[in-house]
Amino acid sequence: MATATMVLTRVKVQRRFGLALRVTAVIALLALAALPLLLGGDVWAQRISRAAIYAVIGLSINTLTGHAGQISLGHQAFVGIGAFAAAFTASRLGAPLGFGLAAAAAAGALTAAVIGLVALRVTGLYLALVTLAFGLTAETTIFNWREFTGGGAGALAPRPTLLASDHAFALLCLGVLALVLYLDWRLVSTKTGRALTALRNNERIAATLGVNTTGYKLAAFSLSGLIAGLAGGLFAHWNQIVQAMDFEFQVALVWVLMTVVGGLRSRLGVILASALFALLPLTLPNFLSSLPWQPPFLNEAVYHVLPPFIVVVMLLIVLRCFPGGFGQLLRPATRWLSTGSARTPRTGTGGRT
């Protein structure tokens, strides 16, 4: 009896120690991530805001493609409409920033719902073509509507006095990212999340099980558009001016690639890949130009070509070696942080969950 009590006590101590160790690791990682914001000045505050906005966009694509299995190659339209809606409410109506962000999210959700209605009866490649066509059409029509976007001059999106500093705005962007991350986490464990999983795995089987595939498709498009529009509103106030050239197809392609490289359905992987893709064009040229020895094949023109080239190389490596992207590489660490064990749990039949 005494031996059993000692064993139970030892197990409790080990569990508490493991929990304390994991909490310490999380706090250390958060402190390390906060160092650039605390010590980097306004330049790094701007970069962190951009990285957080890209992460929100990545999570919006992950909602549609990762959770629901629906492809979107026109996400720049949702983000752009949200950005112009936020700029319009701020500069034309004089509305507060909170109202502008709500209008941006609503505009993105409404636009995505309309596209979802059009795309209900198409899947796969045809759905990708529909979203691609809408994104390209938005570039030449909606984004050039002078009364709404200001035309070639763009639309101003001033920040309120409380968020005028880059550090304050970076904290807002990180707060929105934390909120979207929490909503994504909660979504997966709800009835809607399980229905989206069934829809992603096999739409026909999901329908036979009583899943309203039409309704959940629309819900996935609307939620993805809402998050994308919210990110667009943040982007508008981050840049403080919005122009049509900010939302070209190349940008949408980068957003899709960063989500794939991060790993579909992996929140941490998507966030890290989004931050990397946001910061790479801003930091790599400066880093290479500051090297004491410059290779003869490097010049300013090459500096700006390298980031897209690195993106392509990363995509090829992911597709060939790590289909799960960054999320696959980080899975042992995230599993340890959440359960205390880095091993993959086994099912009762010997398979893996």
Side-chain angles (χ1 to χ4, degrees), residues 305-330:
V305 174
L306 274 178
F309 175 75
I310 293 175
V311 167
V312 172
V313 172
M314 291 176 61
L315 178 64
L316 293 176
I317 292 175
V318 165
L319 293 178
R320 179 65 181 86
C321 304
F322 308 104
F326 287 2
Q328 180 179 342
L329 299 175
L330 295 169

Side-chain angles (χ1 to χ4, degrees), residues 91-108:
S91 59
R92 300 288 183 89
L93 304 181
L97 183 139
F99 183 83
L101 293 181

Side-chain angles (χ1 to χ4, degrees), residues 89-296:
T89 56
S91 59
R92 300 288 183 89
L93 304 181
L97 183 139
F99 183 83
L101 293 181
L110 180 61
T111 306
V114 172
I115 298 303
L117 284 172
V118 174
L120 280 178
R121 297 190 178 278
V122 294
T123 57
L125 175 62
Y126 298 104
L127 176 59
L129 291 176
V130 168
T131 57
L132 172 62
F134 174 74
L136 295 176
T137 303
E139 291 180 30
T140 57
T141 56
I142 301 175
F143 296 166
N144 288 315
W145 180 17
R146 184 175 297 275
E147 288 74 13
F148 179 56
T149 66
L156 296 177
R159 300 178 193 170
T161 305
L162 184 62
L163 299 172
S165 70
D166 291 323
H167 280 80
F169 192 76
L171 291 176
L172 172 65
C173 293
L174 291 174
V176 172
L177 172 59
L179 175 62
V180 172
L181 184 63
Y182 173 76
L183 292 177
D184 186 276
W185 173 69
R186 289 294 301 161
L187 172 68
V188 175
S189 59
T190 63
K191 176 183 176 181
T192 300
R194 292 189 290 271
L196 292 179
T197 300
L199 181 65
R200 181 189 72 239
N201 292 336
N202 193 306
E203 185 175 339
R204 292 183 178 179
I205 294 179
T208 61
L209 294 175
V211 175
N212 183 359
T213 57
T214 300
Y216 282 113
K217 269 189 180 182
L218 284 177
F221 267 98
S222 300
L223 180 58
S224 179
L226 184 146
I227 299 173
L230 180 60
L234 290 175
F235 178 85
H237 290 284
W238 171 75
N239 206 34
Q240 302 192 64
I241 185 170
V242 189
Q243 295 176 306
M245 67 179 67
D246 295 326
F247 307 105
E248 297 177 341
F249 171 69
Q250 293 88 332
V251 179
L253 187 59
V254 168
W255 292 338
V256 173
L257 292 180
M258 73 187 186
T259 308
V260 173
V261 170
L264 294 175
R265 299 183 297 282
S266 171
R267 303 178 194 91
L268 181 58
V270 169
I271 290 174
L272 291 179
S274 301
L276 175 63
F277 279 47
L279 298 178
L280 194 63
L282 302 179
T283 57
L284 185 61
N286 294 334
F287 171 75
L288 293 177
S289 61
S290 64
L291 293 177
W293 176 77
Q294 296 290 323

